[in-house]
Structure formats: C-alpha cells, structure tokens
C-alpha cells in the first residue's frame, strides 16, 4: 500500500462533508484490501532485492521530496500508517498535503528550517503564541530573527528576507482572534502560517481563508485523549516536499503507533469538538455573571477552550479543583485547567507576556466531555477557595499582589 494509492482514491471521491471525511479519509482503500481497521505498520526498514531500483527511488526523493512509489525504504522517509493520518488531515484542512512530525514543536522547527534553507530567516509574528513557539522564535535557536507586531503592523514589518508570518487564532492562552483573510492579504507573497490547534478544522479552515501553512499540535484535539504526542503541517504539495526533505534529514518523525492513534482520533474530532464547545459556551455564560471573575475570554468562533481572570489567587483555584485535572495541555476528553503565567507561558519573559495580554490572574481551561453541571459544581467550589470579590481585593492589596 503506497501513499499515492490512497491519495488518488481520495482525489477521485466527490466532495464529502467534514463529518464524513473524518471517518473515511485515509481509509478509502481498506475495503479493497479486505480490511476494516487501518493496518499498523511498525517496520523501521523494508526489504528489497533490487538495490538499483531502491537507489533510483532514493535519488528521486532526495531531489524532489516526492514520496517514492512502492514500499518505503526506511521509516525516516515515510510510513504507511502515518501516511493515512496525513492524507486524512489534509482532507479535513482542505490542503493538497500534510506532513506529520514527532510533536507540534518538531513541526514548527521543520517549517522554520525549510524557510531558512531558502535563505529566508526572518519571521514576522503576532503575540500571543504558545509559550514554546514564542521561545523558539525569540531565542533564535534555529537562527531565525523575529519581529513581533500586531496584525495591523504585519505589512510594514515584512522585509526582503522574510520567510514566514506566524499567528495563532484563537491564540494560546488568551483566545485572541486574528482576521485570517485580512492578514493573508497583508502578507502578500510571504506565506502565512496559522497555528490552528485551538480551532481545529471543525471550526476553522485557514487554508480556505488564504493561509499557506496550517500547523497543529496534534497532541491536543486531533489525538483527543491525552495519550499521543504529535504535530502536523497542512500545506500545498510544493511546501510539503521541502518539509519531507527536512524531516528525512533532521529526523523528527512521528511514531507509527502515534499515526494510528491520530487517525483514530480524527474520526471523532467533529463530535468531540462540537460537544465540548457547547459545554464551554455554557460555562462561559455562567462565569460572565459570577462576581469572582474579573474577565472572561471566549472567541467569536466558539470552541472548547475558555480563559478567565479571577479577582482572587489563581493558585488557590488550581489547588482546589477535584474533577477537573490541574494540568497543562488541552484538547482531551476530560477537562484540564492551568495557570499560563506559571506553566504554559512560563518560558516567555514577563514583559512579553504582558505585551501578549497574558495576565498573572489568567486561568486557561480546556473543556472536555463531562456533564456541564458536574464541571460547574467543581469550578464554582474551586473559585470559592481562591475567592476574593472586587471589594475584597480592594481591601486586601497584598493578597491581590500575591497572584
Ligand atoms: C501545545 C501547543 C504547541 C506545541 O505542541 P507540542 O505537541 O506540545 O510540541 C504548539 N502550538 C499550540 C497552540 C499548542 O497549544
């Protein structure tokens, strides 16, 4: 089974709705193979008695980044199980191709290296970004140079050596939104990368709005169960070829078992995201009317991520939840809560956190599939543990400052 075989059968299929793609994309050939569940291929290498033919296939891959026909040569080039996940994710995002990596950070690193290999090391980026993405750009670990700006400043920040414009929308952790279509217009010829981890293709398909590169931490909603780490870039075939060459040379490959679990995760993605989003919107309504809450953040496009600033001590809230898991990460079937200034965005300089609108009082919650009444009961008792209403925090300035 080659990549090309399942890609071409997907191409010949009529356009199908997202919910249908979620359960069928990347599996179109299974019935012909006499299978129902996708096969999991754990091979690291593939036997061949024809070394000349293998040499030709390796040459073809090295010069073009096009995956060879026939069995893979070695698992760092390609894996058929991971290939199914890539095919499916590309279908869901509406792009030609997708290239999977060991984590979201490996995916972003590959994008930056791909651009740098073309001499384009300058990146224009909008805060906030996920803490480690901010760090990777800002520390210049891969030789990138970054100009931080707001969406309105992007056009002016672009230079001749700009290889990428990067945004997250809704952004981690404030859920701030960017108008992708307007921003894509400001980018001109420079590719726009949208980190679509929070929205998922269920709520937003950035490629249809003009983004050339769509990135996911697949660790989050795509996997959906908190038990698999991965990253993926959805893009046109031309950029995918460069990414495959970077992945082959730098080795940030996704494990095939992770590819299997991510493909399985995609099949319930629409149902999970819609159900958790409805619960999140309900919790947002309750929090907005709660005197212990200074401000609630929730994007216009909806979603299962919520964020809120408390009057009291956010550490007390983290310490008091019982049903909700106090942990970083997001997008699992169960609800998680964390304090961005302490954890997910700890690595970002405090002044840069402030520029990104990340208050020390902000809590970020990933709403899962639990019953809304059970979640609210846990959240409201935890808020009481960290409770200070506006008048109390005025009476006790040290308590307010401690947060
Ligand atoms: C978690 C996350 C990442 C990094 O992904 P990993 O899979 O943890 O490497 C990138 N972007 C966003 C928005 C994230 O939430």
């Amino acid at each position: 089974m080659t990549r090309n075989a399942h890609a071409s059968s997907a191409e010949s299929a009529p356009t199908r709705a997202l919910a249908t793609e979620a359960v069928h994309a990347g599996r179109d050939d299974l019935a012909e193979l006499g299978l129902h569940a996708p096969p999991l291929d754990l091979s690291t290498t593939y036997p061949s008695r024809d070394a000349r033919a293998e040499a030709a296939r390796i040459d073809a891959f090295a010069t073009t980044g096009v995956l060879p026909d026939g069995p893979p040569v070695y698992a760092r080039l390609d894996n058929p199980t991971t290939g199914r996940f890539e095919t499916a994710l590309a279908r869901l995002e509406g792009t030609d191709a997708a290239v999977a990596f060991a984590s979201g950070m490996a995916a972003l690193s590959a994008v930056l290296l791909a651009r740098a290999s073309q001499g384009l090391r300058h990146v224009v980026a909008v805060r906030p970004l996920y803490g480690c993405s901010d760090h990777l750009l800002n520390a210049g670990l891969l030789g990138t140079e970054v100009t931080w700006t707001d969406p309105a400043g992007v056009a002016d920040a672009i230079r001749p050596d700009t290889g990428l414009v990067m945004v997250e929308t809704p952004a981690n952790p404030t859920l701030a939104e960017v108008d992708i279509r307007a921003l894509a217009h400001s980018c001109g010829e420079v590719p726009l990368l949208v980190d679509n981890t929070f929205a998922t293709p269920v709520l937003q398909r950035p490629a249809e709005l003009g983004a050339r590169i769509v990135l996911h931490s697949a660790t989050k909603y795509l996997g959906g169960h908190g038990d698999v780490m991965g990253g993926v870039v959805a893009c046109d075939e031309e950029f995918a070829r460069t990414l495959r060459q970077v992945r082959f040379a730098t080795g940030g490959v996704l494990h095939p078992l992770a590819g299997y679990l991510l493909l399985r995760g995609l099949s319930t993605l629409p149902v999970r995201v819609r159900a958790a989003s409805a619960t999140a919107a309900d919790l947002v309504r309750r929090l907005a009317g709660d005197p212990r809450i200074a401000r609630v953040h929730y994007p216009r496009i909806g979603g299962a991520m919520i964020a809120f600033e408390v009057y009291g001590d956010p550490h007390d809230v983290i310490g008091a939840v019982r049903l909700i898991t106090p942990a970083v990460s997001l997008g699992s079937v169960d609800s998680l809560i964390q304090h961005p200034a302490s954890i997910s965005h700890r690595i970002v300089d405090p002044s840069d956190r402030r520029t990104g609108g990340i208050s020390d009082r902000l809590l970020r919650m990933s709403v899962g599939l639990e019953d809304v009444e059970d979640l609210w009961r846990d959240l409201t008792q935890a808020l009481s543990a960290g409770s200070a209403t506006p008048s109390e925090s005025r009476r006790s300035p040290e308590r307010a400052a401690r947060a």
Side-chain angles (χ1 to χ4, degrees):
M1 172 74 270
T2 71
R3 169 77 49 86
N4 296 342
H6 47 89
S8 63
S9 52
E11 267 154 31
S12 60
T15 310
R16 301 180 293 198
L18 186 103
T20 308
E21 291 290 7
V23 291
H24 287 282
R27 296 169 156 92
D28 293 313
D29 59 318
L30 290 185
E32 268 164 59
L33 294 172
L35 297 173
H36 185 222
L40 169 55
D41 180 350
L42 294 169
S43 306
T44 55
T45 190
Y46 296 84
S48 168
R49 291 206 166 84
D50 186 349
R52 276 189 206 87
E54 270 205 352
R57 293 184 15 241
I58 291 168
D59 286 350
F61 177 75
T63 51
T64 65
V66 179
L67 291 170
D69 273 331
V73 175
Y74 185 58
R76 190 152 33 71
L77 270 85
D78 184 23
N79 170 272
T81 307
T82 297
R84 291 179 181 281
F85 163 63
E86 292 171 327
T87 300
L89 194 270
R91 296 284 294 179
L92 295 184
E93 285 290 3
T95 56
D96 298 344
V99 184
F101 294 90
S103 68
M105 293 317 301
L108 177 58
S109 298
V111 171
L112 296 176
L113 290 170
R115 298 308 283 156
S117 73
Q118 291 150 356
L120 303 170
R121 295 181 174 277
H122 179 242
V123 177
V124 174
V126 175
R127 283 195 165 111
L129 296 178
Y130 169 65
C132 207
S133 302
D134 185 310
H135 172 66
L136 181 63
L137 294 176
N138 218 40
L141 287 175
L142 297 175
T144 30
E145 190 194 330
V146 62
T147 301
W148 297 103
T149 181
D150 55 16
V154 164
D156 285 343
I158 288 175
R159 314 190 310 212
D161 65 336
T162 304
L164 192 71
V165 174
M166 176 169 181
V167 293
E168 280 178 23
T169 178
N172 188 350
T174 61
L175 309 177
E177 283 173 284
V178 173
D179 179 340
I180 297 173
R181 204 187 285 280
L183 185 63
H185 186 73
S186 314
C187 293
E189 294 298 296
V190 179
L192 170 63
L193 181 156
V194 172
D195 185 325
N196 203 32
T197 300
F198 275 32
T200 82
V202 178
L203 300 177
Q204 162 178 289
R205 309 205 324 155
E208 287 172 357
L209 304 172
R212 188 163 164 211
I213 303 168
V214 181
L215 185 134
H216 283 272
S217 167
T219 313
K220 316 294 172 51
Y221 288 100
L222 306 187
H225 295 73
D227 57 2
V228 52
M229 183 156 253
V232 62
V233 180
C235 57
D236 53 54
E237 175 60 21
E238 187 192 338
F239 193 58
R241 289 176 184 177
T242 312
L243 287 176
R244 290 186 202 111
Q245 290 175 313
V246 170
R247 182 178 63 182
F248 171 60
T250 60
V253 292
L254 187 73
H255 190 275
L257 178 57
Y260 179 92
L261 289 170
L262 291 174
L263 180 67
R264 180 185 177 123
L266 289 185
S267 59
T268 53
L269 181 71
V271 180
R272 283 186 284 108
V273 169
R274 290 198 184 104
S277 299
T279 306
D282 190 335
L283 291 175
V284 161
R285 276 191 292 279
R286 299 181 197 210
L287 288 166
D290 193 292
R292 298 165 296 185
I293 304 297
R295 185 171 170 206
V296 182
H297 302 246
Y298 192 61
R300 274 176 306 173
I301 66 160
M305 295 301 297
I306 67 177
F308 47 93
E309 290 164 41
V310 292
Y311 284 111
D313 187 336
H315 299 282
D316 291 346
V317 180
I318 295 291
V321 286
R322 289 294 172 268
L323 178 67
I324 303 164
T325 302
V328 74
S329 199
L330 57 116
S332 184
V333 286
D334 58 323
S335 296
L336 308 177
I337 194 167
Q338 63 106 18
H339 180 228
S342 297
I343 319 231
S344 64
H345 291 68
R346 187 69 188 170
I347 199 159
V348 179
D349 208 63
S351 68
D352 294 335
R353 282 206 293 270
R354 273 191 292 282
T355 318
I358 307 166
S359 157
D360 286 355
R361 306 247 171 175
L362 185 77
L363 290 165
R364 188 196 75 188
M365 181 172 165
S366 168
V367 178
L369 298 177
E370 300 92 337
D371 185 84
V372 67
E373 299 302 336
D374 290 329
L375 286 176
W376 179 245
R377 201 176 305 121
D378 192 38
L379 197 53
T380 197
Q381 68 75 26
L383 285 167
S384 296
S387 166
T389 58
S391 53
E392 283 172 62
S393 59
R394 272 196 297 277
R395 273 201 305 274
S396 147
E398 310 89 307
R399 186 190 166 87
R402 188 151 51 95

